[in-house]
Amino acid sequence: MSAAASAMVSSASQLRGRMIADADMSRHCSWRAGGLAELLYVAADLEDACEFLAGGDYPQPLTMVGLGSNFLVRDGGLRGTLLKLAPAAGQIERLSEQRLRVQAGAACPKLARQAVAAGLAGCEFLAGIPGSIGGALAMNAGCYGSTTWQRVVSVTTLSEAGVLEKLSPESFAIGYRTVARRDGQPLMFASAEFEFDADEDGQARQRMEEMLAKRSRSQPIGTANAGSVFTNPPGSSAGRLLDEVGMRGASFGGARVSRRHANFIINEKNATAADIETLIGMMQEAVFERCDIRLYPEVRIVGDEA
């Protein structure tokens, strides 16, 4: 444990969240692999997160993490502080007939289910995104032709000093699986307001169930994976290209490319982060050598090599 992390843990009595020094990140990401984070703070709610950040004594740099479904810490660990929001920071509030305010800690499937139950449409795709709203905002997550920011009216961000600020979508450069603040500040989301459609044909629930059934048939649900490994190249499909070059079922160490979908890597046999990252490189190299196309990871890999 570093001196900074030790001091932070010993002075945390006024906070309500969980503070973990040398946090084993294999317990906090869906790949079930990874090294230690110098300090992990799981905030009890948004107010608690603001209080933690306002204290300012946490080890730098600061990284915000959601449900860990698109995230990997290398085996050598991550210096600094990881901030995570507990499920209590996932409240969903109805502001009007079609507008919802959603805190960043809410799981995307939770929002989809509650919105459909409230008679709203246009939210069904979120049921197939296994991450938090904060993570979905940070990467403009999407599937089945829809993306997160298509429905965003405004967001409230969180600064490294614990200050909340409400911003419009115009304050961000938004693209395919990419989001950046135009002022260059780091991305840390506290909540967002979404505008959905009225479910006039009464078919939103059926559409959501059909999307989930399709996902279940085509993806390795129930395994230790991080979702799609690569973004799709323009006009193509990463999964199809990986199939064409024979990567389906390929393995390295304890990591294996899913036999169900070639754009997924499964932690099959206690894979290390290095196993996973090496397999990612093998997949990229195979596609580039055979197809002259570069694949770019959708997953976020941070930290130091062992």
Side-chain angles (χ1 to χ4, degrees):
M1 183 188 304
S2 70
S6 177
M8 195 70 197
V9 170
S10 63
S11 63
S13 58
Q14 76 279 11
L15 297 170
R16 294 176 288 112
R18 285 192 300 132
M19 190 171 296
I20 309 168
D22 293 333
D24 181 355
M25 291 309 297
S26 68
R27 299 181 179 181
H28 297 276
C29 76
S30 60
W31 249 326
R32 301 291 180 260
L36 304 179
E38 182 178 356
L39 186 71
L40 170 66
Y41 187 67
V42 184
D45 49 35
L46 286 175
E47 182 181 359
D48 186 53
C50 290
E51 290 177 3
F52 169 78
L53 293 171
D57 294 328
Y58 54 85
Q60 292 284 351
L62 174 69
T63 304
M64 198 163 187
V65 61
L67 296 180
S69 59
N70 200 43
F71 189 73
L72 182 67
V73 174
R74 292 187 176 100
D75 299 310
L78 179 68
R79 288 167 288 181
T81 301
L82 280 176
L83 174 62
K84 182 175 181 177
L85 298 174
Q91 297 176 2
I92 299 173
E93 177 186 2
R94 193 163 191 172
L95 301 178
S96 65
E97 283 299 312
Q98 295 173 209
R99 186 170 295 190
L100 302 176
R101 180 187 292 125
V102 186
Q103 292 187 347
C108 293
K110 175 184 176 181
L111 172 57
R113 290 193 301 269
Q114 290 198 17
V116 166
L120 299 176
C123 52
E124 300 91 323
F125 76 99
L126 288 164
I129 297 175
S132 68
I133 289 299
L137 290 167
M139 63 173 294
N140 195 21
C143 57
Y144 303 121
S146 296
T147 60
T148 302
W149 280 83
Q150 289 173 339
R151 295 291 178 170
V152 172
V153 176
S154 67
V155 296
T156 298
T157 60
L158 186 61
S159 78
E160 294 189 354
V163 178
L164 298 174
E165 181 181 14
K166 190 171 183 177
L167 298 171
S168 70
E170 287 70 32
S171 298
F172 299 84
I174 302 162
Y176 170 59
R177 303 295 182 266
T178 62
V179 178
R181 284 184 57 153
R182 295 190 186 278
D183 62 7
Q185 294 299 306
L187 285 179
M188 297 211 305
F189 295 104
S191 66
E193 292 183 14
F194 292 88
E195 184 91 26
F196 296 114
D197 303 323
D199 183 17
E200 295 181 352
D201 63 4
Q203 298 299 306
R205 184 174 299 280
Q206 180 178 334
R207 287 192 293 270
M208 182 176 69
E209 296 300 333
E210 289 173 352
M211 288 179 184
L212 288 173
K214 181 177 180 180
R215 177 172 176 260
S216 182
R217 291 192 301 270
S218 62
Q219 298 179 13
I221 307 301
T223 64
N225 71 82
S228 296
V229 176
F230 300 104
T231 58
N232 289 323
S236 189
S237 159
R240 191 183 72 245
L241 290 169
L242 290 161
D243 264 335
E244 289 176 359
V245 300
M247 289 304 297
R248 186 183 293 241
S251 66
F252 183 88
R256 182 178 296 278
V257 178
S258 169
R259 293 185 175 89
R260 179 168 290 188
H261 194 306
N263 198 20
F264 285 68
I265 290 176
I266 298 168
N267 183 346
E268 189 174 62
K269 297 178 181 177
N270 297 316
T272 64
D275 290 343
I276 293 169
E277 193 167 9
T278 298
L279 187 53
I280 288 173
M282 291 167 57
M283 297 161 78
Q284 289 174 303
E285 183 177 359
V287 170
F288 184 70
E289 287 186 352
R290 295 273 299 277
C291 307
D292 198 28
I293 295 174
R294 294 191 183 278
L295 294 181
Y296 295 96
E298 182 173 312
V299 295
R300 186 181 182 191
I301 302 174
V302 298
D304 301 320
E305 296 179 0

